Amino acid sequence: MTNSPTRSPARSGGRLALIAFAQLIIALDYNIVYVALPEIGADLDFSAQSLQWVVSAYAVGFGGLLLFGGRAVDRLGARRIFLVAVAIYGVSSLAGGLATEPGLLVAARALQGIGGALLFPAILTLIYSGFAEGAERNRALAVWGAVGSGGLAAGSLLGGLFTDWWGWESVLFVNVPLALIALLAAPRLLPADAPVKRGVKAFDVPGALLATAGSSFIVFGLASGPESGWTSVRALGTIVIGGVLLVALLVTEARTPEGLLPLRLVRTRTLATTMAVAFLFMGTLATGYYVLTTYLQPVLGYSPTEAGLAFLPVCVFSMIGGPVTAVLLNRFGIRATLAGALMINGGGVALVCVVMAVDGSFWSMLPGMVLWGLGGGVGFTATFAAAGMGVAPMEQGVASAVASTSQQIGGAVGLAALIAVANHGLDYNAVPGPTLDEIVDGLRWAGVLAGALSVVGGFVALILKSGKAAAAAVREEPAGDEDEQVTASGTADEAIVTAQ
């Protein structure tokens, strides 16, 4: 569906502003909590191992239900799901800010993730259906991408300022007025959805439940291992259960005609490789943010505001990396660009962590932060370019959702595993607790391993086919029913438009 030629430019501008505003909510919500983690842990009595759930609960909720959210948008309409998602954000943020114990905050963060899983596909659908293909849609996508990147940078700084001025609760409360603004504006600015047809196909609820439960069990087991022992039922048992549930997901999706996870696409080398790259890449980013936050505040004694400012080089250079990606793709192609970006990103994260010391300084970490930011910005955009490479236009959204799901789950699993490395051998319940030197050693190992994972992801990216080869592979197999087959160009140039 494209726009009517008589559509009001002012109304179109207002619609784009609202869509960008909603993307800002998602971006802020992802990054704003990192700097507040030390205060959250101290105030709500999180353990050193369980504090990661403030981040991981959001990632599991987002990643586990993202494909379901896309299906809901297709079935019920983008505006309806937009309104529901923003309402969930508002309610869960209020509940999180009022939380007085760890379980309540973790539940609220998981609910925020569910809101994100519904809102993200609604935003993209509103862009694709509300702006004509070509320059108009490209402009809308550029605004969407710029606001998203800016929100990540602003999240780090605002998280520090809000925590210093009004306490950690404010990083959650800030979403409440933002959600109210979006709820009031949406009925006026967003186009009405078509009536819901009777007898619509199923949402594949079993697939959504299996994906979310399987991921949650694995993350819970990894987070529990250092405290309960890796051979305990709580750790090993839940990891095994999570693995069984994910295998059950694959079996279920193979037998479900309208499943959430398109196994035919996943079996292609391009998308399967991209999923693996996204998984490793996001695990690195999540761990890097967590490790740097833990180092800056508890070890170096930075205030939340100072820690937020310290994150700016990573975020600013990440914003610079996004626009540069298109130039790099045109010059070097998708394989070289993605592989190089992940290796640079991993090298930057490792360099930041190698120089960590009890008497360390921000300036010693700055070169690594620049590499971390540039590699991360290019890598994030190039990952979505790879996800759409060689995929038919009618399945671009599904491919992007699969890549995004791998990113979110990879962030949760990678963070859980590497925080276990950071805390290995440390007894925070002992009196006295671990020394600063012991804490820094653990953080350094976790950060270096995270960087190594990103480098491994770079080598995995070299398995990708070229854009022309991927397009040819798609043309050789049907995209659905025989009468619905389409030809995809699969070029990196077209894929990057979707990513931005």
Side-chain angles (χ1 to χ4, degrees), residues 12 98-99 169 211 222 227 281-282 291 305 409 412 479:
S12 177
L98 295 173
E169 298 90 345
L222 290 170
E227 294 179 336
F281 178 47
M282 198 63 181
V291 166
T305 298
I409 300 304

Side-chain angles (χ1 to χ4, degrees), residues 368-389:
M369 288 181 172
V370 172
L371 296 176
W372 174 353
L374 283 174
V378 174
F380 183 85
T381 309
T383 297
F384 281 94
M389 187 172 63

Side-chain angles (χ1 to χ4, degrees), residues 133-220:
E133 184 175 0
E136 184 179 8
R137 184 181 296 173
N138 293 346
R139 180 176 65 88
L141 287 166
V143 171
W144 167 75
V147 170
S149 298
L152 291 175
S156 297
L157 178 58
L158 292 178
L161 293 174
F162 284 13
T163 302
D164 258 345
W165 293 346
W166 300 298
W168 66 263
E169 298 90 345
S170 62
V171 304
L172 294 160
F173 285 147
V174 68
N175 279 331
V176 177
L178 298 181
L180 285 174
I181 292 171
L183 283 173
L184 292 174
R188 296 186 178 185
L189 296 176
L190 299 183
D193 295 316
V196 178
K197 297 179 181 179
R198 293 184 178 181
V200 294
K201 297 178 181 179
F203 284 93
D204 189 17
V205 173
L209 293 177
L210 287 170
T212 306
S215 304
S216 300
F217 272 105
I218 289 177
V219 173
F220 181 80

Side-chain angles (χ1 to χ4, degrees), residues 45-80:
D45 199 27
F46 277 91
S47 69
Q49 190 66 31
S50 64
L51 184 59
Q52 66 182 281
W53 275 104
V54 179
V55 176
S56 295
Y58 180 87
V60 170
F62 198 128
L65 287 176
L66 185 59
L67 292 171
F68 179 83
R71 183 73 68 184
V73 170
D74 291 340
R75 297 289 188 259
L76 301 179
R79 189 171 82 164
R80 293 188 185 98

Side-chain angles (χ1 to χ4, degrees), residues 49 120 136 220 312 343 444:
Q49 190 66 31
F120 186 73
E136 184 179 8
F220 181 80
L312 283 182
M343 291 177 187
R444 189 184 299 117

Side-chain angles (χ1 to χ4, degrees), residues 69-480:
R71 183 73 68 184
V73 170
D74 291 340
R75 297 289 188 259
L76 301 179
R79 189 171 82 164
R80 293 188 185 98
I81 298 301
F82 183 98
L83 291 168
V84 170
V86 171
I88 290 175
Y89 256 119
V91 171
S92 59
S93 298
L94 179 62
L98 295 173
T100 56
E101 60 181 42
L104 293 177
L105 178 57
V106 169
R109 287 287 290 165
L111 192 58
Q112 283 184 318
I114 293 173
L118 296 174
L119 186 58
F120 186 73
I123 289 172
L124 288 177
T125 298
L126 287 166
I127 290 176
Y128 278 96
S129 64
F131 297 88
E133 184 175 0
E136 184 179 8
R137 184 181 296 173
N138 293 346
R139 180 176 65 88
L141 287 166
V143 171
W144 167 75
V147 170
S149 298
L152 291 175
S156 297
L157 178 58
L158 292 178
L161 293 174
F162 284 13
T163 302
D164 258 345
W165 293 346
W166 300 298
W168 66 263
E169 298 90 345
S170 62
V171 304
L172 294 160
F173 285 147
V174 68
N175 279 331
V176 177
L178 298 181
L180 285 174
I181 292 171
L183 283 173
L184 292 174
R188 296 186 178 185
L189 296 176
L190 299 183
D193 295 316
V196 178
K197 297 179 181 179
R198 293 184 178 181
V200 294
K201 297 178 181 179
F203 284 93
D204 189 17
V205 173
L209 293 177
L210 287 170
T212 306
S215 304
S216 300
F217 272 105
I218 289 177
V219 173
F220 181 80
L222 290 170
S224 302
E227 294 179 336
S228 62
W230 289 105
T231 59
S232 66
V233 173
R234 185 180 180 187
L236 182 60
T238 51
I239 292 174
V240 171
I241 292 173
V244 170
L245 290 174
L246 292 181
V247 171
L249 169 66
L250 297 177
V251 173
T252 300
E253 296 304 282
R255 298 177 178 179
T256 305
E258 292 293 324
L260 297 178
L261 188 63
L263 295 184
R264 178 186 55 78
L265 281 179
V266 173
R267 284 193 295 263
T268 65
R269 190 172 88 185
T270 298
L271 190 53
T273 301
T274 303
M275 290 173 65
V277 169
F279 186 93
L280 295 169
F281 178 47
M282 198 63 181
T284 300
L285 288 184
T287 303
Y289 273 109
Y290 189 100
V291 166
L292 187 54
T293 294
T294 306
Y295 173 67
L296 291 172
Q297 295 183 71
V299 176
L300 295 187
Y302 279 32
S303 69
T305 298
E306 290 170 334
L309 289 170
F311 270 103
L312 283 182
V314 175
C315 296
V316 169
F317 279 94
S318 178
M319 292 173 63
I320 294 173
V324 170
T325 308
V327 177
L328 295 176
L329 286 173
N330 291 334
R331 177 67 177 84
F332 300 106
I334 187 66
R335 283 182 299 193
T337 298
L338 184 55
L342 265 65
M343 291 177 187
I344 291 172
N345 172 74
V349 171
L351 183 57
V352 166
C353 296
V354 163
V355 301
M356 285 181 175
V358 173
D359 58 351
S361 69
F362 165 79
W363 300 109
S364 66
M365 296 184 293
L366 185 58
M369 288 181 172
V370 172
L371 296 176
W372 174 353
L374 283 174
V378 174
F380 183 85
T381 309
T383 297
F384 281 94
M389 187 172 63
V391 176
M394 63 185 293
E395 294 179 321
Q396 287 279 346
V398 175
S400 296
V402 169
S404 185
T405 298
S406 297
Q407 279 189 329
Q408 296 297 329
I409 300 304
V413 173
L415 180 62
L418 291 172
I419 293 308
V421 171
N423 294 330
H424 179 69
L426 303 183
D427 187 356
Y428 284 88
N429 296 319
V431 180
T435 65
L436 289 181
D437 282 320
E438 291 173 333
I439 293 173
V440 171
D441 283 342
L443 294 175
R444 189 184 299 117
W445 273 108
V448 170
L449 287 175
L453 283 180
S454 185
V455 173
V456 170
F459 281 107
V460 172
L462 294 175
I463 301 174
L464 287 169
K465 295 181 180 180
S466 66
K468 292 181 179 180
V474 169
R475 284 193 289 267
E476 290 175 359
E477 56 181 271

